Amino acid sequence: MKLLRHTSPDPQQLALQLDFFSSDFSSQPRIDHPAPKHSPGSTPPNAPVPRIEAPTPIPNGKRRVQVAEHALDYTLVRSKRRSIGFMIDDDGLRITAPKWVTLTEIENAIIEKQRWIFTKLNERRERSARRLQPQMEWRDGGTLPYLGHDITLRILATQAAGILYDPVTKELTVCLPSDAAEQQLKDRVQGWLQLEAKRLFAERLPVYAEKLGVSYQSFALSSAMTQWGSCTADGKIRLNWRLIHFALPLIDYVIAHELSHLREMNHSPQFWATVQSVFPEFAAAKKALRDHAPETLPIF
């Protein structure tokens, strides 16, 4: 999430935006660990006894170390930095350490940060697995996400225009000519989803505005590729129509988030306390949105 400012910002133009897909998808999760405090080239006093097996070089240039029952591969990069840095990317764990830090000290840092390391590695693997899921097929019997559940497309060959959703069977019937192109089906479904999003947002915004004791001036749908929503200081709310793919709690979180900016136009601790006051489960919802792979959503 980021605060967008223009030169000499006008308070009425100040806007806060909630990232569409978190930068976690493009950036590398990283933490820093303080390097041991001893002079370069000297032997550290009272060096701790290693609690893991010695690292084993492996053919691809990585090192391998046994952490409890896990064999952990990592890439070690020496630099002039003053701390030991841990990064997780598509190639796995990368450690950047000062040239004077010993392998024993690096191993002990791995032990101390092992929970963070394995958590991030598992998250990366899960995201990669989701990216490998097959894309939806735009045909009769195809499925797409709607309010957190898959619904089935039914195509009715007819010259009459129409679209109807049955909540019992969870089927969306689209009337199209028999020679209709795939893009016509996409356009019809997208139009329906946007209407549903507008209807639902119009229902949920007043609920959270009342809970927060705020008033918004207007709201509109957004098709932004980088944000889920935004809020200006003068009460203009924009919500991404693609939120309609997700379950209601995630939609409510984004709505509560944006409306909370009408009380705290920042991302300070006071802001998050405001969000929590009306949406206690905000942390779980925030993580769910952050972890959702964009590749699993339909492409229109």
Side-chain angles (χ1 to χ4, degrees):
M1 291 174 291
K2 54 191 176 184
L3 181 64
L4 301 183
R5 290 183 181 271
H6 303 282
T7 304
S8 300
D10 181 338
Q12 297 304 312
Q13 295 176 337
L14 191 63
L16 280 160
Q17 300 185 344
L18 179 61
D19 286 352
F20 182 30
F21 292 111
S22 168
S23 58
D24 284 357
F25 285 108
S26 57
S27 64
Q28 300 169 332
R30 165 180 167 175
I31 58 173
D32 289 333
H33 182 86
K37 296 181 179 179
H38 59 84
S39 302
S42 66
T43 301
N46 302 320
V49 177
R51 291 170 287 177
I52 49 181
E53 296 179 12
T56 304
I58 51 181
N60 61 1
K62 291 177 177 283
R63 304 188 71 86
R64 176 171 295 163
V65 65
Q66 193 72 25
V67 183
E69 70 274 18
H70 302 287
L72 177 65
D73 294 344
Y74 67 94
T75 300
L76 176 60
V77 179
R78 294 292 189 172
S79 73
K80 296 180 180 180
R81 60 177 296 149
R82 296 183 178 182
S83 60
I84 302 174
F86 297 80
M87 284 188 179
I88 305 294
D89 58 23
D90 290 335
D91 293 325
L93 172 63
R94 183 173 65 163
I95 298 177
T96 305
K99 297 177 181 179
W100 47 267
V101 172
T102 68
L103 287 176
T104 295
E105 291 162 342
I106 292 173
E107 295 164 15
N108 285 323
I110 291 174
I111 276 289
E112 184 173 338
K113 303 298 182 184
Q114 62 177 294
R115 182 175 180 180
W116 182 91
I117 292 170
F118 287 119
T119 296
K120 293 302 179 183
L121 286 173
N122 287 334
E123 289 177 357
R124 177 71 64 165
R125 278 192 288 267
E126 289 171 1
R127 289 173 186 169
S128 297
R130 287 197 294 269
R131 291 189 182 102
L132 294 176
Q133 293 177 358
Q135 295 293 327
M136 70 165 289
E137 297 182 14
W138 291 94
R139 58 171 179 78
D140 185 78
T143 60
L144 74 153
Y146 170 69
L147 292 179
H149 300 283
D150 283 343
I151 62 174
T152 303
L153 287 177
R154 293 301 177 198
I155 302 175
L156 183 61
T158 175
Q159 293 299 319
I163 187 166
L164 178 66
Y165 176 63
D166 186 335
V168 177
T169 62
K170 289 185 169 52
E171 292 182 334
L172 182 66
T173 301
V174 184
C175 297
L176 287 171
S178 57
D179 60 347
E182 180 181 283
Q183 191 58 49
Q184 289 179 267
L185 174 60
K186 290 182 178 181
D187 291 344
R188 192 71 60 82
V189 172
Q190 181 176 338
W192 178 78
L193 287 171
Q194 289 176 336
L195 286 175
E196 286 294 290
K198 190 172 185 178
R199 174 191 62 80
L200 184 60
F201 298 164
E203 292 176 358
R204 304 304 293 170
L205 276 163
V207 172
Y208 283 92
E210 182 179 357
K211 289 182 178 182
L212 287 163
V214 298
S215 298
Y216 58 95
Q217 180 178 322
S218 63
F219 92 91
L221 296 185
S222 164
S223 297
M225 296 302 294
T226 56
Q227 283 90 29
W228 286 121
S230 65
C231 174
T232 63
D234 58 356
K236 294 178 181 178
I237 305 289
R238 290 179 65 83
L239 299 170
N240 199 300
W241 69 266
R242 276 188 173 273
L243 286 167
I244 199 66
H245 291 307
F246 299 110
L248 185 59
L250 300 189
I251 297 173
D252 280 352
Y253 160 65
V254 176
I255 288 174
H257 180 115
E258 298 308 335
L259 288 172
S260 292
H261 281 310
L262 296 178
R263 286 176 54 179
E264 295 287 341
M265 203 65 184
N266 50 55
H267 287 122
S268 64
Q270 291 83 359
F271 166 78
W272 290 112
T274 300
V275 176
Q276 187 175 29
S277 70
V278 294
F279 197 89
E281 308 84 3
F282 81 94
K286 179 181 177 182
K287 183 178 186 301
L289 281 177
R290 184 186 67 228
D291 291 347
H292 194 91
E295 293 85 353
T296 62
L297 296 182
I299 298 174
F300 290 91

PDB file of all heavy atoms in Angstrom, residues 84-99:
ATOM      1  N   ILE A  84      23.776  -9.653   8.144  1.00  0.00           N
ATOM      2  CA  ILE A  84      23.496 -10.854   7.364  1.00  0.00           C
ATOM      3  C   ILE A  84      22.065 -10.729   6.835  1.00  0.00           C
ATOM      4  O   ILE A  84      21.116 -10.601   7.616  1.00  0.00           O
ATOM      5  CB  ILE A  84      23.642 -12.122   8.222  1.00  0.00           C
ATOM      6  CG1 ILE A  84      25.049 -12.211   8.807  1.00  0.00           C
ATOM      7  CG2 ILE A  84      23.335 -13.367   7.395  1.00  0.00           C
ATOM      8  CD1 ILE A  84      25.222 -13.361   9.791  1.00  0.00           C
ATOM      9  N   GLY A  85      21.928 -10.740   5.527  1.00  0.00           N
ATOM     10  CA  GLY A  85      20.603 -10.567   4.924  1.00  0.00           C
ATOM     11  C   GLY A  85      20.065 -11.875   4.382  1.00  0.00           C
ATOM     12  O   GLY A  85      20.792 -12.676   3.787  1.00  0.00           O
ATOM     13  N   PHE A  86      18.768 -12.101   4.617  1.00  0.00           N
ATOM     14  CA  PHE A  86      18.097 -13.296   4.114  1.00  0.00           C
ATOM     15  C   PHE A  86      17.060 -12.867   3.074  1.00  0.00           C
ATOM     16  O   PHE A  86      16.212 -12.033   3.363  1.00  0.00           O
ATOM     17  CB  PHE A  86      17.388 -14.046   5.246  1.00  0.00           C
ATOM     18  CG  PHE A  86      18.316 -14.566   6.312  1.00  0.00           C
ATOM     19  CD1 PHE A  86      18.800 -13.725   7.303  1.00  0.00           C
ATOM     20  CD2 PHE A  86      18.705 -15.889   6.328  1.00  0.00           C
ATOM     21  CE1 PHE A  86      19.653 -14.199   8.290  1.00  0.00           C
ATOM     22  CE2 PHE A  86      19.555 -16.378   7.311  1.00  0.00           C
ATOM     23  CZ  PHE A  86      20.033 -15.527   8.292  1.00  0.00           C
ATOM     24  N   MET A  87      17.120 -13.462   1.894  1.00  0.00           N
ATOM     25  CA  MET A  87      16.154 -13.178   0.844  1.00  0.00           C
ATOM     26  C   MET A  87      15.564 -14.485   0.312  1.00  0.00           C
ATOM     27  O   MET A  87      16.264 -15.489   0.193  1.00  0.00           O
ATOM     28  CB  MET A  87      16.802 -12.429  -0.333  1.00  0.00           C
ATOM     29  CG  MET A  87      17.087 -10.966  -0.089  1.00  0.00           C
ATOM     30  SD  MET A  87      17.620 -10.173  -1.627  1.00  0.00           S
ATOM     31  CE  MET A  87      17.846  -8.489  -1.046  1.00  0.00           C
ATOM     32  N   ILE A  88      14.267 -14.436  -0.009  1.00  0.00           N
ATOM     33  CA  ILE A  88      13.598 -15.580  -0.629  1.00  0.00           C
ATOM     34  C   ILE A  88      13.127 -15.124  -1.999  1.00  0.00           C
ATOM     35  O   ILE A  88      12.372 -14.166  -2.118  1.00  0.00           O
ATOM     36  CB  ILE A  88      12.396 -16.070   0.196  1.00  0.00           C
ATOM     37  CG1 ILE A  88      12.807 -16.376   1.638  1.00  0.00           C
ATOM     38  CG2 ILE A  88      11.753 -17.290  -0.457  1.00  0.00           C
ATOM     39  CD1 ILE A  88      13.757 -17.529   1.785  1.00  0.00           C
ATOM     40  N   ASP A  89      13.569 -15.818  -3.051  1.00  0.00           N
ATOM     41  CA  ASP A  89      13.079 -15.525  -4.392  1.00  0.00           C
ATOM     42  C   ASP A  89      12.778 -16.839  -5.094  1.00  0.00           C
ATOM     43  O   ASP A  89      12.721 -17.901  -4.461  1.00  0.00           O
ATOM     44  CB  ASP A  89      14.070 -14.656  -5.172  1.00  0.00           C
ATOM     45  CG  ASP A  89      15.453 -15.302  -5.288  1.00  0.00           C
ATOM     46  OD1 ASP A  89      15.544 -16.544  -5.164  1.00  0.00           O
ATOM     47  OD2 ASP A  89      16.434 -14.585  -5.507  1.00  0.00           O
ATOM     48  N   ASP A  90      12.594 -16.789  -6.419  1.00  0.00           N
ATOM     49  CA  ASP A  90      12.240 -18.003  -7.153  1.00  0.00           C
ATOM     50  C   ASP A  90      13.342 -19.056  -7.117  1.00  0.00           C
ATOM     51  O   ASP A  90      13.093 -20.228  -7.394  1.00  0.00           O
ATOM     52  CB  ASP A  90      11.895 -17.659  -8.607  1.00  0.00           C
ATOM     53  CG  ASP A  90      10.580 -16.906  -8.715  1.00  0.00           C
ATOM     54  OD1 ASP A  90       9.745 -17.069  -7.803  1.00  0.00           O
ATOM     55  OD2 ASP A  90      10.388 -16.164  -9.693  1.00  0.00           O
ATOM     56  N   ASP A  91      14.560 -18.646  -6.796  1.00  0.00           N
ATOM     57  CA  ASP A  91      15.671 -19.599  -6.712  1.00  0.00           C
ATOM     58  C   ASP A  91      15.875 -20.134  -5.302  1.00  0.00           C
ATOM     59  O   ASP A  91      16.804 -20.882  -5.054  1.00  0.00           O
ATOM     60  CB  ASP A  91      16.963 -18.938  -7.203  1.00  0.00           C
ATOM     61  CG  ASP A  91      16.917 -18.624  -8.692  1.00  0.00           C
ATOM     62  OD1 ASP A  91      16.308 -19.417  -9.428  1.00  0.00           O
ATOM     63  OD2 ASP A  91      17.477 -17.598  -9.103  1.00  0.00           O
ATOM     64  N   GLY A  92      15.022 -19.728  -4.358  1.00  0.00           N
ATOM     65  CA  GLY A  92      15.138 -20.212  -2.995  1.00  0.00           C
ATOM     66  C   GLY A  92      15.756 -19.183  -2.059  1.00  0.00           C
ATOM     67  O   GLY A  92      15.553 -17.979  -2.226  1.00  0.00           O
ATOM     68  N   LEU A  93      16.506 -19.669  -1.086  1.00  0.00           N
ATOM     69  CA  LEU A  93      17.096 -18.800  -0.070  1.00  0.00           C
ATOM     70  C   LEU A  93      18.439 -18.258  -0.540  1.00  0.00           C
ATOM     71  O   LEU A  93      19.300 -19.008  -0.998  1.00  0.00           O
ATOM     72  CB  LEU A  93      17.288 -19.576   1.238  1.00  0.00           C
ATOM     73  CG  LEU A  93      18.067 -18.874   2.353  1.00  0.00           C
ATOM     74  CD1 LEU A  93      17.336 -17.622   2.828  1.00  0.00           C
ATOM     75  CD2 LEU A  93      18.297 -19.837   3.521  1.00  0.00           C
ATOM     76  N   ARG A  94      18.588 -16.934  -0.405  1.00  0.00           N
ATOM     77  CA  ARG A  94      19.873 -16.309  -0.693  1.00  0.00           C
ATOM     78  C   ARG A  94      20.313 -15.531   0.539  1.00  0.00           C
ATOM     79  O   ARG A  94      19.536 -14.746   1.090  1.00  0.00           O
ATOM     80  CB  ARG A  94      19.776 -15.367  -1.889  1.00  0.00           C
ATOM     81  CG  ARG A  94      21.143 -14.756  -2.249  1.00  0.00           C
ATOM     82  CD  ARG A  94      21.101 -13.967  -3.530  1.00  0.00           C
ATOM     83  NE  ARG A  94      20.258 -12.788  -3.449  1.00  0.00           N
ATOM     84  CZ  ARG A  94      20.314 -11.783  -4.327  1.00  0.00           C
ATOM     85  NH1 ARG A  94      21.151 -11.847  -5.336  1.00  0.00           N
ATOM     86  NH2 ARG A  94      19.520 -10.746  -4.193  1.00  0.00           N
ATOM     87  N   ILE A  95      21.548 -15.773   0.964  1.00  0.00           N
ATOM     88  CA  ILE A  95      22.103 -15.095   2.144  1.00  0.00           C
ATOM     89  C   ILE A  95      23.244 -14.199   1.697  1.00  0.00           C
ATOM     90  O   ILE A  95      24.153 -14.633   0.994  1.00  0.00           O
ATOM     91  CB  ILE A  95      22.602 -16.122   3.176  1.00  0.00           C
ATOM     92  CG1 ILE A  95      21.431 -16.993   3.667  1.00  0.00           C
ATOM     93  CG2 ILE A  95      23.274 -15.423   4.346  1.00  0.00           C
ATOM     94  CD1 ILE A  95      21.842 -18.073   4.644  1.00  0.00           C
ATOM     95  N   THR A  96      23.148 -12.937   2.111  1.00  0.00           N
ATOM     96  CA  THR A  96      24.226 -11.987   1.842  1.00  0.00           C
ATOM     97  C   THR A  96      24.883 -11.645   3.173  1.00  0.00           C
ATOM     98  O   THR A  96      24.198 -11.240   4.114  1.00  0.00           O
ATOM     99  CB  THR A  96      23.680 -10.707   1.184  1.00  0.00           C
ATOM    100  OG1 THR A  96      22.940 -11.072   0.018  1.00  0.00           O
ATOM    101  CG2 THR A  96      24.814  -9.795   0.775  1.00  0.00           C
ATOM    102  N   ALA A  97      26.180 -11.837   3.252  1.00  0.00           N
ATOM    103  CA  ALA A  97      26.873 -11.651   4.532  1.00  0.00           C
ATOM    104  C   ALA A  97      28.184 -10.903   4.330  1.00  0.00           C
ATOM    105  O   ALA A  97      28.802 -10.978   3.266  1.00  0.00           O
ATOM    106  CB  ALA A  97      27.139 -13.007   5.184  1.00  0.00           C
ATOM    107  N   PRO A  98      28.634 -10.173   5.375  1.00  0.00           N
ATOM    108  CA  PRO A  98      29.955  -9.517   5.300  1.00  0.00           C
ATOM    109  C   PRO A  98      31.049 -10.546   5.066  1.00  0.00           C
ATOM    110  O   PRO A  98      30.935 -11.700   5.479  1.00  0.00           O
ATOM    111  CB  PRO A  98      30.085  -8.864   6.678  1.00  0.00           C
ATOM    112  CG  PRO A  98      28.688  -8.735   7.191  1.00  0.00           C
ATOM    113  CD  PRO A  98      27.944  -9.913   6.652  1.00  0.00           C
ATOM    114  N   LYS A  99      32.120 -10.106   4.431  1.00  0.00           N
ATOM    115  CA  LYS A  99      33.201 -11.027   4.086  1.00  0.00           C
ATOM    116  C   LYS A  99      33.861 -11.631   5.318  1.00  0.00           C
ATOM    117  O   LYS A  99      34.401 -12.735   5.266  1.00  0.00           O
ATOM    118  CB  LYS A  99      34.240 -10.302   3.237  1.00  0.00           C
ATOM    119  CG  LYS A  99      33.709  -9.818   1.895  1.00  0.00           C
ATOM    120  CD  LYS A  99      34.766  -9.047   1.114  1.00  0.00           C
ATOM    121  CE  LYS A  99      34.188  -8.550  -0.221  1.00  0.00           C
ATOM    122  NZ  LYS A  99      35.191  -7.772  -1.002  1.00  0.00           N
TER     123      LYS A  99
END
